[in-house]
């Protein structure tokens, strides 16, 4: 059951424990200044560890959406880390947050999008626009790491459910891996946000989300191309937490991320419901 | 022209004709009598069988000179059939054949090495998931002739088999559980009109 070939281990235990253990280690080694600022990098490393456990390292240059995802996350992580080391709040960080999702969406989906402008091309453009805007918003609120984490956690769980229902198990696992890594990071940041959601974490998360969204929309035959559209709302619900829950105490901070998470559940449930309702009729009733 | 020169000219022409190599005939793969089958280990407990239901392509073959044979096959990846609809949907997804991104699997022979009276090794380029690798398959020539009910169509038949490693083509999902070595068995008939 608990072997490296088990999907719950590949996409649950490994990213969760990697994030949980390494966040503390980075903080310990780097101290309260640089260590705290770089702790978010661990989220990206946990995602890559989950990918490795599921697929191993794909050949370079990668061919096909799934193989490209590894290098997309790796490149976004390196770019994010570089920005974190130079100046987290500077233009480089903003550029990583802004471009990580569009880069992933275009690398995976541009060819297919040009081939079939509707609906594939439109889906790619939506992912490009949403992930760019989400990156911009998340970057501006990077200190609200627990609220950002809560929104990414719910978003990824919804993507995993949609992928799983559509017989795309590996996409479900990758989304689950990011959810678990975010969970491990959140355990350090809830109720109090200790570590900023830095550019390495943002870059890796948005790259994987953008890439997976395009992969699911374009290359999973059972999934209705625009069924994931409600998920586009989720990144923009983070500021609502601060409006609904005032105060800076520990209880308020903890409650705020819970409220954000609950708000995100609504569009997440809508997407899952749409995918469920638009699934083609099963050609067989038995599991395998 | 004397009788002598006429005989010489006729003899020279006959010699020239025998020196011309026999040309391979071109056949079109008969989809209704061709099957691309595969087998793969399921967690080491059993062997799962599957097939692709839609193939097309050509065979160029001369029984007198089999080393010059050539074969080109195109398989519709989405026609995968393992007798289980849910599993077939999963196999079409990016986890395995990623048929929306890579709709075709192709094989183009590059050389044929005759190994026996009716056997040969066919080496060629197999393209799957956008990755092209050279593979060598074992071929058995089953025969050539016309149908008993139709002497205007010539048919030629082969059995082709071999093993490929799916991870070499970037199909990495489920490694450690689902086998990486895939046994391929292609039963092939190809026809041409004699009219």
């Amino acid at each position: 059951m608990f072997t490296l070939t088990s999907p719950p281990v590949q996409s649950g235990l490994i990213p969760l424990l990697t994030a949980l253990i390494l966040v503390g280690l980075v903080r310990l080694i780097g101290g309260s200044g640089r260590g705290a600022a770089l702790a978010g990098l661990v989220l990206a490393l946990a995602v890559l560890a989950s990918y490795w456990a599921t697929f191993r390292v794909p050949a370079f240059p990668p061919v096909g959406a799934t193989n490209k995802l590894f290098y997309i996350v790796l490149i976004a992580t390196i770019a994010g880390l570089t920005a974190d080391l130079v100046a987290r709040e500077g233009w480089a960080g903003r550029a990583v947050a802004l471009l990580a999702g569009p880069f992933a969406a275009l690398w995976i989906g541009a060819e297919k999008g040009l081939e079939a402008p509707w609906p594939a091309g439109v889906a790619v453009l939506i992912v490009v626009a949403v992930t760019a805007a989400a990156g911009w918003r998340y970057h501006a609120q990077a200190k609200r790491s627990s609220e950002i984490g809560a929104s990414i956690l719910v978003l990824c769980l919804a993507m995993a459910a949609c992928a799983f229902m559509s017989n795309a198990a590996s996409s479900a696992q990758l989304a689950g891996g990011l959810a678990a890594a975010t969970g491990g990071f959140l355990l350090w940041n809830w109720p109090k946000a200790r570590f900023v959601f830095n550019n390495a974490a943002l870059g890796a998360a948005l790259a994987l989300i953008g890439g997976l969204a395009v992969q699911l929309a374009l290359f999973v035959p059972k999934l209705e191309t625009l069924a994931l559209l409600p998920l586009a709302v989720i990144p923009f619900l983070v500021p609502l937490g601060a409006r609904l829950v005032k105060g800076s105490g520990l209880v308020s901070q903890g409650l705020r991320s819970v409220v954000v998470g609950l708000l995100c559940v609504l569009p997440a449930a809508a997407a899952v419901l749409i995918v469920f309702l638009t699934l083609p009729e099963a050609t067989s009733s038995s599991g395998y | 022209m004397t009788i002598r020169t006429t005989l010489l000219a006729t003899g020279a022409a006959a010699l020239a004709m025998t020196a011309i190599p026999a040309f391979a005939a071109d056949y079109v793969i008969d989809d209704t009598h061709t099957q691309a089958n595969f087998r793969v280990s399921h967690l080491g407990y059993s062997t799962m069988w599957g097939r692709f239901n839609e193939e097309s392509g050509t065979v160029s073959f001369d029984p007198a000179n089999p080393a010059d044979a050539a074969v080109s096959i195109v398989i519709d990846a989405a026609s995968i059939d393992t007798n289980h609809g849910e599993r077939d949907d999963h196999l079409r997804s990016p986890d395995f054949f990623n048929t929306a991104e890579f709709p075709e699997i192709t094989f183009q022979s590059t050389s044929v090495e005759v190994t026996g009276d009716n056997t040969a090794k066919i080496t060629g380029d197999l393209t799957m998931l956008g990755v092209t690798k050279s593979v060598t398959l074992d071929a058995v020539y089953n025969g050539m002739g016309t149908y008993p009910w139709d002497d205007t169509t010539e048919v030629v038949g082969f059995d082709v088999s071999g093993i490929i490693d799916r991870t070499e083509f970037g199909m990495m999902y489920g490694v450690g559980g689902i086998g990486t070595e895939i046994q391929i068995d292609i039963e092939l008939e190809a026809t041409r009109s004699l009219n």
Side-chain angles (χ1 to χ4, degrees):
Chain A
M1 179 71 184
F2 289 104
T3 62
L4 204 56
T5 55
S6 159
V9 172
Q10 295 167 337
S11 306
L13 212 55
I14 287 176
L16 179 74
L17 291 180
T18 305
L20 195 58
I21 295 166
L22 289 187
V23 165
L25 207 61
V26 170
R27 165 67 180 79
L28 193 71
I29 294 169
S32 60
R34 181 146 281 197
L38 293 180
L41 167 68
V42 166
L43 190 143
L45 298 180
V47 170
L48 290 170
S50 175
Y51 187 105
W52 171 83
T54 310
F55 297 103
R56 303 297 183 269
V57 176
F60 188 87
V63 180
T66 306
N67 295 327
K68 285 175 184 168
L69 278 172
F70 178 84
Y71 291 100
I72 282 168
V73 173
L74 186 65
I75 291 167
T77 302
I78 292 168
L81 176 63
T82 308
D84 286 328
L85 291 172
V86 176
R88 193 194 64 76
E89 292 179 11
W91 66 267
R94 268 198 299 277
V96 170
L98 188 72
L99 297 176
F103 161 63
L106 290 172
W107 194 8
I108 289 178
E111 195 180 331
K112 186 80 174 177
L114 290 170
E115 235 174 65
W118 172 261
V122 171
V124 173
L125 286 180
I126 291 173
V127 175
V128 166
V130 170
T131 52
W136 191 263
R137 294 291 295 170
Y138 277 149
H139 183 267
Q141 306 166 84
K143 285 179 183 164
R144 295 185 182 281
S145 55
S146 52
E147 289 144 71
I148 292 175
S151 70
I152 288 176
L153 180 69
V154 175
L155 173 59
C156 290
L157 289 175
M159 285 182 97
C162 294
F164 190 75
M165 286 192 297
S166 311
N167 292 101
S170 72
S171 307
Q173 280 196 240
L174 290 173
L178 177 55
T182 308
F185 182 72
L186 271 178
L187 287 173
W188 283 92
N189 289 283
W190 193 84
K192 185 186 173 189
R194 289 186 178 83
F195 310 122
V196 67
F197 213 100
N198 65 13
N199 296 308
L202 263 187
L206 288 166
L208 187 63
I209 288 167
L212 272 179
V214 167
Q215 187 189 46
L216 287 171
L218 269 57
F219 302 131
V220 176
K222 277 186 85 172
L223 191 119
E224 183 62 40
T225 305
L226 299 177
L228 301 175
L229 210 51
L231 299 180
V233 177
I234 289 180
F236 308 100
L237 297 177
V238 171
L240 277 182
R243 282 188 210 162
L244 293 172
V245 184
K246 306 286 183 191
S248 55
L250 204 59
V251 174
S252 298
Q253 281 188 48
L255 193 59
R256 224 171 358 248
S257 46
V258 172
V259 166
V260 168
L262 289 174
L263 286 171
C264 295
V265 167
L266 296 173
V272 172
L273 188 65
I274 291 172
V275 169
F276 177 75
L277 292 175
T278 55
L279 277 180
E281 208 166 305
T283 44
S284 168
S285 57
S286 66
Y288 66 95
Chain B
M1 185 181 286
T2 63
I3 291 173
R4 189 166 173 244
T5 52
T6 305
L7 283 173
L8 277 172
T10 308
L15 275 171
M17 284 179 73
T18 53
I20 293 169
F23 286 104
D26 292 328
Y27 300 82
V28 175
I29 286 176
D30 172 7
D31 186 30
T32 56
H33 297 99
T34 296
Q35 293 180 60
N37 306 297
F38 63 87
R39 302 174 251 168
V40 61
S41 168
H42 180 243
L43 307 169
Y45 297 125
S46 66
T47 300
M48 193 206 71
W49 292 67
R51 70 182 188 205
F52 294 94
N53 289 330
E54 288 176 28
E55 306 88 5
S56 60
T58 56
V59 174
S60 176
F61 183 68
D62 170 12
N65 192 11
D68 278 354
V71 58
S72 171
I73 303 176
V74 178
I75 294 171
D76 177 2
S79 72
I80 194 165
D81 180 355
T82 63
N83 196 30
H84 192 293
E86 291 288 306
R87 180 169 55 213
D88 295 342
D89 286 338
H90 190 194
L91 288 166
R92 290 183 193 108
S93 81
D95 294 2
F96 294 99
F97 287 96
N98 197 4
T99 59
E101 195 172 3
F102 302 107
E104 289 181 347
I105 299 168
T106 63
F107 178 80
Q108 177 67 58
S109 67
T110 52
S111 68
V112 175
E113 179 196 347
V114 177
T115 55
D117 289 344
N118 63 339
T119 59
K121 287 190 180 295
I122 303 176
T123 299
D125 293 331
L126 177 65
T127 302
M128 188 168 80
L129 293 168
V131 177
T132 301
K133 295 277 176 190
S134 179
V135 300
T136 299
L137 304 171
D138 295 312
V140 176
Y141 166 56
N142 295 325
M144 175 190 278
T146 55
Y147 291 128
W149 59 89
D150 176 11
D151 60 6
T152 63
T153 302
E154 188 173 69
V155 56
V156 59
F158 303 91
D159 293 344
V160 182
S161 62
I163 294 174
I164 62 164
D165 182 343
R166 69 181 173 100
T167 62
E168 290 183 357
F169 295 87
M171 192 190 286
M172 303 299 289
Y173 189 64
V175 170
I178 300 161
T180 55
E181 285 194 342
I182 314 289
Q183 170 74 44
I184 297 171
D185 293 290
I186 301 173
E187 320 298 328
L188 188 153
E189 270 190 31
T191 61
R192 73 179 179 116
S193 173
L194 294 176
N195 284 333

